[in-house]
Amino acid sequence: MRVVLTGGTGYIGSAVLDRLVSRNHQVTAVVRSDAKAEQVRAKGADPAIADLADGEALEKLADSSEGVIHLASPGDETSAAVDEVAVTSFLSALRNTGRPFVYTTGVWLHGSGAAITEATDMNPPRLATWRVPLATRVRAAQGVRTSVVAPAVVYGHGGGLLNLVAAGPRTAGATPALTMIGHGDQHWTTVHVDDLAELYVLALEKAPAASYFVGASGENPTVRELTEAVSRSVGMAGRVESEPVVQTLDRLGMLGEALLLDQRASGDTARHVLGWSPTGPSILDDIARTTF
């Protein structure tokens, strides 16, 4: 399949690119510089230098493709406006073709929950509120085989939010402890980056129209468990210290709001509909073998 991929040099996107190439898809990766173009070319993809805010360029690329996976986001105050342009352009190019369009949101959109599924109501933190109407619009698109993937907290190969945990404040004294994000009792639902990449490719290849998949492996450790494991990995023997919520919010802002959510999910829908079968190491095993 001729596939347009955005975000192909990012943490998740590079794993998706590798998986697409290994499955013999012909990938055009949208990048913003010559240096990024060389990165994707070295992986077997064709680069296309374009800005995500350039709707005309994106529509042209999608028009000559057989499918699109959209992963990229500026990650700043322009994210909502830029994503609006990208989604509009991709849906316009794919309208009434029956071709696949895979869009990205995140499990945070559901807010806190002990058994989050695709049917769980949306209750997003401020950081991600703007994604809800765009995801609704994508799933409602006519004549496009749309699917939305909502990744859990992603880990693996030394990337992801575990680096934020490892970079947290240390307490003073001869036996310092690693400060947790909040009280530490909240659960994070998780997924290995390689398993998530497989989910995106499966969604591209065979997801029914208007599909929605929570990308979670079924592991839901507490932040305390994760921070203790990171503490051991960085040489602090598992010592951790809780952080008052107000301090977490002062330190991390709107990201802190999202990381204080208490979430557990299984990802069972992707298993049943797509045959997705996560095989990556557990997050605790991954931390034990990671140098932060």
Side-chain angles (χ1 to χ4, degrees):
M1 188 185 300
R2 295 190 307 276
V3 182
V4 168
L5 171 68
T6 71
T9 60
Y11 176 47
I12 298 172
S14 61
V16 174
L17 175 56
D18 289 341
R19 193 60 55 99
L20 286 168
V21 171
S22 73
R23 295 263 261 272
N24 297 317
H25 292 291
Q26 297 173 286
V27 183
T28 298
V30 180
V31 296
R32 296 187 62 181
S33 69
D34 290 336
K36 298 292 187 182
E38 287 304 315
Q39 286 183 33
V40 300
R41 189 177 286 115
K43 289 190 167 194
D46 295 320
I49 298 178
D51 194 290
L52 288 176
D54 186 346
E56 184 176 347
L58 296 183
E59 186 168 351
K60 184 177 180 181
L61 286 168
D63 188 55
S64 61
S65 78
E66 294 173 306
V68 175
I69 298 178
H70 179 40
L71 287 163
S73 174
D76 57 27
E77 67 279 357
T78 70
S79 294
V82 168
D83 219 39
E84 173 78 26
V85 171
V87 167
T88 298
S89 302
F90 289 140
L91 290 180
S92 177
L94 298 174
R95 182 181 296 120
N96 296 324
T97 65
R99 297 172 187 167
F101 175 50
V102 186
Y103 181 61
T104 302
T105 57
V107 75
W108 288 341
L109 296 191
H110 292 286
S112 292
I116 292 171
T117 71
E118 289 75 8
T120 301
D121 289 341
M122 297 291 177
N123 185 24
R126 289 182 297 162
L127 183 70
T129 300
W130 58 272
R131 286 197 179 274
V132 176
L134 281 176
T136 300
R137 179 180 166 196
V138 167
R139 294 184 68 196
Q142 297 298 307
V144 186
R145 185 164 59 80
T146 58
S147 57
V148 174
V149 175
V153 172
V154 187
Y155 68 93
H157 305 303
L161 284 170
L162 290 176
N163 287 284
L164 183 66
V165 175
R170 271 73 164 159
T171 61
T175 56
L178 183 59
T179 300
M180 294 184 289
I181 294 172
H183 45 71
D185 295 333
Q186 74 272 31
H187 296 79
W188 285 358
T189 189
T190 62
V191 64
H192 192 280
V193 66
D194 291 339
D195 291 327
L196 181 61
E198 175 69 9
L199 175 55
Y200 275 102
V201 176
L202 287 172
L204 174 82
E205 293 174 342
K206 59 182 183 178
S211 295
Y212 176 45
F213 304 104
V214 171
S217 65
E219 279 195 296
N220 303 284
T222 65
V223 168
R224 178 178 295 277
E225 291 171 323
L226 295 176
T227 311
E228 287 174 345
V230 172
S231 173
R232 288 190 291 271
S233 182
V234 299
M236 286 190 284
R239 294 185 300 274
V240 299
E241 186 73 29
S242 63
E243 180 177 54
V245 167
V246 65
Q247 291 184 21
T248 294
L249 295 176
D250 286 343
R251 179 164 67 93
L252 298 175
M254 287 194 291
L255 176 59
E257 292 179 9
L259 296 176
L260 288 168
L261 294 173
D262 185 11
Q263 295 191 310
R264 281 167 277 184
S266 67
D268 283 347
T269 297
R271 290 169 170 80
H272 296 153
V273 175
L274 300 176
W276 183 53
S277 180
T279 59
S282 74
I283 189 166
L284 295 180
D285 286 345
D286 189 79
I287 291 171
R289 67 183 69 171
T290 299
T291 301
F292 293 98

